[in-house]
């Protein structure tokens, strides 16, 4: 079995694709709008749900990967080596050792993904059809030039905000654990 130098080399090699994936998140998300909308129009996919799903993946997967790399790197190699000695395979090590340690990171990544997707307004207004528009777009469509009804608009804003707020409240303990993980090195 390799020593610490081999572990550092393996983690360094894993860092290169991670940086490449992060580069997908560096440009403003709006810069993907024109090329992707032209592509979806050429494919005849403007209106259905598939373009929005693909866009949400383009927006959220890079940040999720970046967050999860940090959590999986904190998994002590000694635990993995002990699992190998006990006869565990790679999948068992991942499922029984690394995944439970990374649980707070999974929750944080999930909540960030939901928030990024939930609040994605521009792609929803450009790529969605009448039946597939997102809630923020539907709320925006309630605003007209002639009249602004504050009551229904406030109720719609509450409905749009409520699911993310409830999700965050239920996962609050995991969020705090995820944000403070690795903050103190001992």
């Amino acid at each position: 079995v390799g020593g610490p130098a081999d572990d550092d080399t393996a983690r360094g090699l894993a860092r290169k694709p991670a940086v490449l994936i992060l580069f997908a998140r560096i440009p403003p998300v709006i810069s993907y709008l024109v090329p992707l909308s032209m592509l979806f129009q050429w494919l005849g996919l403007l209106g259905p749900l598939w373009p929005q799903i693909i866009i949400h993946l383009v927006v959220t997967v890079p940040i999720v990967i970046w967050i999860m790399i940090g959590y999986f790197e904190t998994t002590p190699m000694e635990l993995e080596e002990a699992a190998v000695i006990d006869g565990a395979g790679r999948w068992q090590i991942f499922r029984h050792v690394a995944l439970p340690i990374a649980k707070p990171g999974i929750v944080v990544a999930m909540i960030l993904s939901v928030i990024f997707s939930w609040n994605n307004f521009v792609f929803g207004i450009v790529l969605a059809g009448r039946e597939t528009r997102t809630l923020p777009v539907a709320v925006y469509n309630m605003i007209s030039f002639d009249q602004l009804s504050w009551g229904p608009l406030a109720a719609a804003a509450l409905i749009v905000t409520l699911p993310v707020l409830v999700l965050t409240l239920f996962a609050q303990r995991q969020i705090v654990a995820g944000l403070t993980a690795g903050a103190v090195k001992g």
Side-chain angles (χ1 to χ4, degrees):
V1 185
D6 293 336
D7 295 337
D8 291 339
T9 304
R11 288 177 194 235
L13 291 174
R15 180 74 64 188
K16 290 178 184 179
V19 170
L20 241 132
I21 289 169
L22 186 62
F23 279 136
R25 187 71 170 113
I26 288 175
V29 178
I30 193 90
S31 64
Y32 297 123
L33 181 64
V34 172
L36 286 175
S37 64
M38 289 175 60
L39 174 69
F40 291 135
Q41 184 178 13
W42 182 71
L43 293 172
L45 289 175
L46 284 181
L49 207 51
W50 288 108
Q52 290 187 61
I53 293 170
I54 292 168
I55 289 297
H56 292 296
L57 288 173
V58 167
V59 169
T60 59
V61 166
I63 197 75
V64 168
I65 290 173
W66 192 255
I67 289 170
M68 293 313 301
I69 284 173
Y71 280 94
F72 286 120
E73 283 182 346
T74 62
T75 303
M77 291 305 294
E78 293 81 14
L79 291 176
E80 293 179 19
E81 291 169 358
V84 168
I85 291 171
D86 288 341
R90 286 187 175 262
W91 177 248
Q92 290 173 323
I93 293 170
F94 175 72
R95 198 175 84 201
H96 296 294
V97 177
L99 219 50
I101 291 173
K103 184 180 172 189
I106 293 169
V107 172
V108 168
M110 179 195 72
I111 288 176
L112 285 176
S113 297
V114 168
I115 290 172
F116 288 157
S117 292
W118 194 260
N119 292 330
N120 199 338
F121 175 77
V122 175
F123 290 107
I125 203 162
V126 172
L127 299 176
R130 188 166 189 81
E131 295 82 26
T132 59
R133 63 182 166 199
T134 59
L135 277 177
V137 174
V139 170
Y140 174 74
N141 287 336
M142 292 177 66
I143 300 172
S144 69
F145 290 110
D146 333 357
Q147 180 183 10
L148 188 58
S149 301
W150 287 106
L153 189 61
L158 179 66
I159 290 171
V160 168
T161 307
L162 202 58
V164 174
L165 183 64
V166 168
L167 176 69
T168 306
L169 287 175
F170 278 129
Q172 183 178 8
R173 191 174 313 140
Q174 292 296 325
I175 293 171
V176 171
L179 293 175
T180 59
V184 178
K185 297 285 182 179

